[in-house]
Amino acid sequence: MQTAANLMPIPGHIDPVPVPRSFVPRSDGRIDLLGLSLADLRMALETSQLEEKQAKLRAKQLWHWIYNRGATEFSAMTDISKTMHPWLEQRFVISRPNVVEAQVSTDGTRKWLLRSDDAQDYEMVFIPDADRGTLCVSSQVGCTLNCTFCHTGTMRLVRNLTPAEIVGQVMLARDSLGEWPSQPEGRMLTNIVMMGMGEPLYNFENVRDALKLVMDGAGLALSRRRITLSTSGVVPMMARAGAEIGVNLAVSLHAVTKEVRDEIVPLNRKYGIEELLQACADYPGTNNARRITFEYVMLKDKNDSDDDARELVRLLRKYELPAKVNLIPFNPWPGAVYECSTPERIKSFSSIVFGAGISAPVRTPRGRDIDAACGQLKTASEKKSRAQLDREAAVESDAFA
Ligand code: SAH
Ligand code: SF4
């Protein structure tokens, strides 16, 4: 039997050993380079029998073309010799998410319905403002967490999005805004929020790897201070998010008592309010200039009383949190059992929090007319009734009979 003592020592200094990853080829046999880190890109080239030194050089060039220039064709890569283009084309692609539908709201908000190669639908939303442009990115198809006020939580199918599918949303937005090559000034797309479909901390590694690409200064170059990750409170992953991603944190608090939060954010039964707020207090890098955002959806007669507002202030003070509170008017969707609080109630709630010295703006809903507002994301294919899907399936099978 081998024991640690009789294992052969490894000569030389010990480098982190890159673990070869298996690159899953697409149905056409080619490997998608989108979503790969520089190290993975190099490994993909080496796996295709490119000699080590060549692979290192080419990986660097490809990485620059992909993430800084937004190239999707190898033929555009002028510093890679023309004779190599067909070699690359035979083995690799640089994909984008497939766009099924793009909609524009009367307020300028845009929503894209995207489809993966295995026919999973997800959405992204771009919200232009006077001084910024925010892309709301999805991390999963659907969401397993079933918050009772959220349309996404009612989707039956759930799958984690890959790093390519996550960073692909940012690439696609850049394509459509004409913002290549990447430049530090004068961009329309200035901010990213992980607030689309899904719970990002339930897809931690893929979200982390995608955001690393988004933040890399030589590529997409969005500063971590312009990126916000929103979680419904996956407490055990919050410290890792702080250490390994380091972006701004938003927490979907939504209620201040166990009873109400257990009902509307069922994850609360696993990780309670106090535990969650302690994890917020431990989140690295927060201070008065870099606060944690607490999201609070305003639900009529559920979580919107003056007492609730006072309890919110007490809790934020107790944990000494550098906090701002985002009050989100509830966005309705067909079948939802809640109503939005009245404007007077929201005002009263806001002024109690504000009166305690905590910023508590009321978020203006954006893109409601195209179902692009918070919590309204649910893909068109999921909105179809069971009966309609069955009818379509019957027509399809007739066609193949
Ligand atoms: N899963 C993550 C991120 C996505 S949701 C999270 O829950 O934090 C983005 C924000 O929209 C969350 O604060 C969520 O609670 C809120 N939201 C969900 N449904 C909503 C609705 N119908 N109206 C208003 N806000 C909603
Ligand atoms: Fe999932 Fe967030 Fe919706 Fe809750 S609010 S169901 S965690 S997407």
Side-chain angles (χ1 to χ4, degrees):
M1 200 180 83
Q2 285 217 329
T3 62
N6 66 16
L7 279 178
M8 212 164 70
I10 302 164
H13 64 271
I14 299 168
D15 281 328
V17 182
V19 185
R21 55 177 282 179
S22 53
F23 298 100
V24 188
R26 309 172 346 140
S27 53
D28 65 3
R30 294 188 292 172
I31 290 164
D32 187 5
L33 297 184
L34 186 70
L36 300 192
S37 65
L38 183 59
D40 284 345
L41 206 55
R42 188 174 154 187
M43 218 173 287
L45 295 175
E46 283 180 16
T47 310
S48 293
Q49 310 304 320
L50 203 62
E51 178 271 319
E52 212 181 301
K53 242 176 141 180
Q54 269 281 320
K56 190 174 175 187
L57 169 70
R58 298 302 178 203
K60 256 190 159 162
Q61 292 171 313
L62 282 164
W63 197 92
H64 176 82
W65 280 105
I66 296 171
Y67 299 111
N68 184 281
R69 307 290 291 268
T72 52
E73 302 290 339
F74 297 107
S75 56
M77 302 179 179
T78 44
D79 55 358
I80 298 180
S81 85
K82 269 197 185 137
T83 52
M84 205 179 175
H85 293 167
W87 186 88
L88 287 165
E89 275 153 15
Q90 276 163 19
R91 289 163 180 80
F92 305 110
V93 287
I94 304 160
S95 76
R96 289 290 187 268
N98 307 304
V99 178
V100 182
E101 196 182 3
Q103 287 174 281
V104 185
S105 156
T106 48
D107 69 15
T109 301
R110 301 189 203 183
K111 183 174 86 170
W112 287 261
L113 173 62
L114 308 173
R115 183 163 296 164
S116 66
D117 290 335
D118 61 342
Q120 304 271 2
D121 289 353
Y122 53 105
E123 294 180 330
M124 70 173 197
V125 175
F126 181 68
I127 307 150
D129 272 307
D131 59 340
R132 61 168 69 185
T134 306
L135 187 70
C136 183
V137 171
S138 291
S139 56
Q140 298 181 306
V141 171
C143 184
T144 48
L145 286 175
N146 310 115
C147 300
T148 48
F149 52 86
C150 173
H151 210 188
T152 308
T154 67
M155 282 178 69
R156 283 168 294 126
L157 290 173
V158 180
R159 138 148 126 58
N160 280 341
L161 292 177
T162 63
E165 289 161 345
I166 298 167
V167 76
Q169 296 171 60
V170 183
M171 311 283 284
L172 196 66
R174 278 266 174 94
D175 290 349
S176 95
L177 296 168
E179 301 206 310
W180 300 113
S182 211
Q183 51 206 355
E185 301 294 328
R187 297 171 177 166
M188 282 173 65
L189 170 47
T190 58
N191 291 59
I192 290 183
V193 291
M194 296 302 301
M195 293 188 187
M197 302 170 83
E199 168 50 56
L201 295 189
Y202 269 7
N203 185 16
F204 180 80
E205 270 145 30
N206 291 351
V207 167
R208 176 199 59 200
D209 293 353
L211 289 181
K212 287 226 158 111
L213 290 169
V214 172
M215 291 187 282
D216 194 305
L220 289 158
L222 266 133
S223 145
R224 67 192 177 92
R225 291 173 190 279
R226 290 185 172 273
I227 302 175
T228 301
L229 183 147
S230 175
T231 179
S232 55
V234 185
V235 170
M237 297 309 290
M238 286 169 64
R240 270 189 84 188
E244 296 177 36
I245 313 178
V247 294
N248 302 324
L249 181 67
V251 170
S252 293
L253 191 61
H254 302 317
V256 289
T257 64
K258 175 166 169 51
E259 193 200 347
V260 177
R261 196 162 192 271
D262 274 358
E263 177 195 326
I264 67 178
V265 183
L267 185 65
N268 195 65
R269 296 174 206 161
K270 213 164 170 183
Y271 311 116
I273 294 174
E274 304 267 342
E275 217 181 321
L276 173 58
L277 295 179
Q278 185 56 52
C280 290
D282 297 339
Y283 193 78
T286 56
N287 51 46
N288 276 336
R290 202 162 174 245
R291 294 162 193 265
I292 296 176
T293 304
F294 289 90
E295 294 155 286
Y296 201 98
V297 63
M298 299 302 296
L299 304 173
K300 187 175 182 184
D301 299 332
K302 181 54 74 180
N303 63 356
D304 61 352
S305 71
D306 287 351
D307 279 348
D308 289 321
R310 282 188 280 268
E311 177 62 5
L312 177 59
V313 170
R314 189 190 69 81
L315 284 169
L316 296 179
R317 279 193 179 147
K318 178 176 168 193
Y319 288 89
E320 296 177 5
L321 291 164
K324 57 185 172 199
V325 175
N326 255 346
L327 299 176
I328 318 175
F330 170 64
N331 290 308
W333 39 273
V337 294
Y338 301 104
E339 274 179 72
C340 184
S341 311
T342 62
E344 298 75 45
R345 191 86 296 283
I346 298 178
K347 218 182 221 169
S348 171
F349 194 106
S350 167
S351 55
I352 290 172
V353 180
F354 192 74
I358 301 166
S359 148
V362 182
R363 274 238 299 256
T364 321
R366 298 290 302 268
R368 264 190 180 174
D369 55 333
I370 56 165
D371 285 349
C374 293
Q376 288 188 319
L377 300 184
K378 175 165 177 172
T379 55
S381 59
E382 279 274 346
K383 277 181 205 155
K384 289 178 184 169
S385 67
R386 188 69 255 163
Q388 191 178 346
L389 288 170
D390 287 347
R391 269 197 302 279
E392 285 177 7
V395 171
E396 259 171 47
S397 57
D398 281 354
F400 289 106

